[in-house]
Amino acid sequence: MKKIMPNDKCPCMSGKKYKFCCFKRQEFLKEIKAITGGDYIDTNYILSNATKNFPLLKTYLNKIFPLINMSVIFAVNKDLDANMRSIGSNDKTVGIIVIREAPIKQKDYFDLAHEFGHLLTVKNGYPMVQTAKGVPTAIGTVFTNTIMDPIINRVLYSFGFDFISYLEKGFSIQIPMLKSYPEEQNLDLLQRHFIKCLIIEKELEWDIINENIIENKFKTVYHDKYPVAYKEALEFVSYVKEKGIDSPEKVRSLLIKLRADNKMEQYIEIL
């Protein structure tokens, strides 16, 4: 790799010379690397590129930024196990959005808006989670997404974002993954938890739209391959609809129940 010289443009894409930018904040860069596994990239570079081509995103961010009231930092991790991921600090003053590539492509603008939605839920007191040491991050992510993704996506759909394309992208990524998973009788505890949470999330998301608009391709897969997990998931979905998800307290209570149902107390901490 070519050594960065002081007068070179900073690799964070701020447009500044390296000596006036990231050269002065090596400890900060190391901290971002440790948290995200990726490299810091300038927030203004990311957002100016995204919003100049997509007025709806600009309108949404102008509305949501004052409500989030956090410093938002971006990092690029090409090996991220998701398209994007957001991380809120415990004191709710800093939000980090990890992306796989920069600049962000238009097909991923829904995901960007979605991650800002996650930061807003953190700011509003909705629970965060932490997985035990050695447990894959995805186990905690799918757990919170079970409830939080439908809440956030309902807002984005009402705002005018293309929720149908988001669902179709999910089909292309998650259905092959489901098909590659073991048969139900061979699932271990963590795999069973993952499958059940994903089913719950998709069932709750389907309530956002008229099912006649687009076929729920997930349902055929998990109905046929995971009938027991599907039955348990539908029972939890009914419980969610009975209790409601319109406050942080209700969501926390639901997550506590789901964690107990899935026997995940030793693997997931609800913060």
Side-chain angles (χ1 to χ4, degrees):
M1 180 182 292
K2 180 185 175 183
K3 183 178 180 180
I4 305 170
M5 303 304 291
N7 286 319
D8 288 344
K9 286 286 183 71
C10 190
C12 79
M13 304 301 293
S14 67
K16 300 175 184 177
K17 289 184 178 181
Y18 180 58
K19 65 183 178 183
F20 297 131
C21 195
C22 287
F23 177 75
K24 297 182 175 182
R25 44 183 178 181
Q26 295 301 310
E27 289 304 314
F28 166 77
L29 298 180
K30 289 178 183 177
E31 185 178 2
I32 294 299
K33 187 79 169 182
I35 294 171
T36 69
D39 299 311
Y40 167 77
I41 190 160
D42 184 66
T43 297
N44 185 60
Y45 167 75
I46 292 295
L47 295 183
S48 62
N49 272 282
T51 56
K52 72 180 179 182
N53 297 319
F54 198 57
L56 178 63
L57 181 62
K58 184 175 183 177
T59 302
Y60 173 75
L61 292 180
N62 284 341
K63 181 176 181 178
I64 201 173
F65 247 119
L67 302 176
I68 292 174
N69 194 26
M70 291 182 183
S71 296
V72 179
I73 297 168
F74 281 85
V76 178
N77 180 352
K78 295 179 180 178
D79 298 319
L80 187 67
D81 61 353
N83 198 39
M84 294 185 195
R85 178 160 291 136
S86 54
I87 305 165
S89 63
N90 289 338
D91 63 3
K92 302 177 184 179
T93 61
V94 178
I96 303 175
I97 298 179
V98 192
I99 57 180
R100 296 184 71 175
E101 60 179 345
I104 298 170
K105 295 179 180 177
Q106 186 164 341
K107 67 180 179 63
D108 297 323
Y109 288 169
F110 186 101
D111 301 70
L112 178 60
H114 179 92
E115 295 308 327
F116 271 98
H118 270 293
L119 294 182
L120 181 58
T121 63
V122 169
K123 191 69 176 183
N124 287 341
Y126 283 83
M128 299 185 291
V129 304
Q130 182 172 305
T131 52
K133 187 177 181 180
V135 176
T137 304
I139 293 300
T141 301
V142 74
F143 176 67
T144 49
N145 287 355
T146 299
I147 306 295
M148 298 313 306
D149 274 15
I151 292 175
I152 295 165
N153 289 341
R154 184 177 293 277
V155 173
L156 295 181
Y157 181 61
S158 66
F159 211 87
F161 283 91
D162 188 357
F163 185 55
I164 303 301
S165 293
Y166 167 83
L167 291 174
E168 289 174 337
K169 184 163 68 173
F171 292 155
S172 66
I173 296 171
Q174 293 171 322
I175 287 179
M177 178 197 69
L178 283 171
K179 289 181 176 179
S180 71
Y181 256 51
E183 297 300 317
E184 187 159 49
Q185 66 271 21
N186 297 322
L187 292 172
D188 63 29
L189 185 65
L190 295 183
Q191 290 170 332
R192 184 175 180 79
H193 161 80
F194 186 92
I195 293 293
K196 182 177 171 182
C197 286
L198 187 61
I199 295 172
I200 294 167
E201 176 195 332
K202 296 308 174 186
E203 288 295 312
L204 289 173
E205 281 189 334
W206 229 260
D207 283 347
I208 297 173
I209 61 169
N210 183 334
E211 192 165 345
N212 293 327
I213 296 175
I214 181 173
E215 178 190 357
N216 185 349
K217 297 177 183 177
F218 288 108
K219 184 171 289 188
T220 301
V221 178
Y222 49 65
H223 177 271
D224 294 344
K225 190 171 183 179
Y226 303 111
V228 176
Y230 181 48
K231 179 176 179 294
E232 293 175 359
L234 290 185
E235 290 171 354
F236 188 78
V237 167
S238 295
Y239 184 77
V240 169
K241 292 178 179 179
E242 175 188 339
K243 298 298 181 181
I245 53 176
D246 55 340
S247 73
E249 295 74 22
K250 288 180 180 179
V251 170
R252 178 177 295 275
S253 176
L254 289 167
L255 290 177
I256 289 171
K257 174 175 170 49
L258 180 60
R259 182 179 62 175
D261 289 349
N262 291 359
K263 299 179 173 59
M264 299 299 290
E265 290 94 339
Q266 64 177 309
Y267 300 104
I268 297 174
E269 179 184 2
I270 300 173
L271 304 176

